[in-house]
Amino acid sequence: MTIIATLLFEHSQLDIHISEIFYTNGHWLLEKGTQPFAFIFYDLPKLLLILLGIYLITILILRHKQNSDINLVIKNTKYDKLLTPLSTREISYLLLVLIAVPSMIALLKGVTHVSCPNHLILFGGDLPYLNIGKI
């Protein structure tokens, strides 16, 4: 699916056509940093991911302490299931994905030199549009 999507976007320039919908008369429909859209689409999701990561780390620490210290064992399984219905392994996988996906995206953005539409000459920026074959 990834290869098909890449070929579709690269050879049809579908990404440029979609960007043109949001760029009219020399301005973006939503300017970068405009509130409340910057908060809704950028700041809030980032904050929620960070809070979810902190929550998952806290749960892992509490479970580790529970298993190592007999005095901290919670006898009430209802409380433990309310805390999180996931197993320790599932929480670890989720935490690993929460760290790996943004890191991989940042790494790939740096390595592939793919520019955001607002940086392209087509849309008032200073970089030329390069497809994968030209990079």
Side-chain angles (χ1 to χ4, degrees):
M1 293 299 286
T2 302
I3 293 171
I4 292 170
T6 301
L7 293 174
L8 174 73
F9 277 95
E10 280 301 311
H11 292 295
S12 68
Q13 292 188 343
L14 186 59
D15 55 340
I16 295 295
H17 297 302
I18 292 171
S19 296
E20 287 173 343
I21 295 170
F22 297 99
Y23 188 78
T24 56
N25 300 325
H27 296 287
W28 289 99
L29 184 63
L30 298 174
E31 292 293 330
K32 187 174 184 175
T34 305
Q35 294 298 341
F37 304 110
F39 177 73
I40 293 170
F41 296 118
Y42 182 74
D43 297 331
L44 182 63
K46 187 189 289 188
L47 177 66
L48 291 176
L49 282 175
I50 291 169
L51 290 175
L52 179 60
I54 291 170
Y55 171 74
L56 293 175
I57 289 171
T58 304
I59 295 299
L60 286 176
I61 290 170
L62 288 175
R63 285 195 177 175
H64 177 71
K65 282 192 170 265
Q66 256 184 351
N67 293 336
S68 64
D69 190 2
I70 198 71
N71 295 330
L72 293 175
V73 174
I74 298 172
K75 305 282 189 220
N76 190 353
T77 58
K78 186 177 183 182
Y79 172 77
D80 195 35
K81 288 189 185 219
L82 179 65
L83 201 55
T84 177
L86 302 174
S87 70
T88 302
R89 179 178 289 192
E90 291 169 332
I91 293 171
S92 300
Y93 287 146
L94 184 57
L95 187 59
L96 182 65
V97 168
L98 279 176
I99 294 168
V101 169
S103 301
M104 187 63 76
I105 289 170
L107 177 71
L108 288 174
K109 282 180 89 172
V111 172
T112 60
H113 304 290
V114 174
S115 302
C116 295
N118 61 330
H119 295 142
L120 298 176
I121 293 171
L122 298 167
F123 302 112
D126 57 351
L127 298 174
Y129 175 73
L130 300 174
N131 61 17
I132 290 178
K134 294 178 184 176
I135 295 176

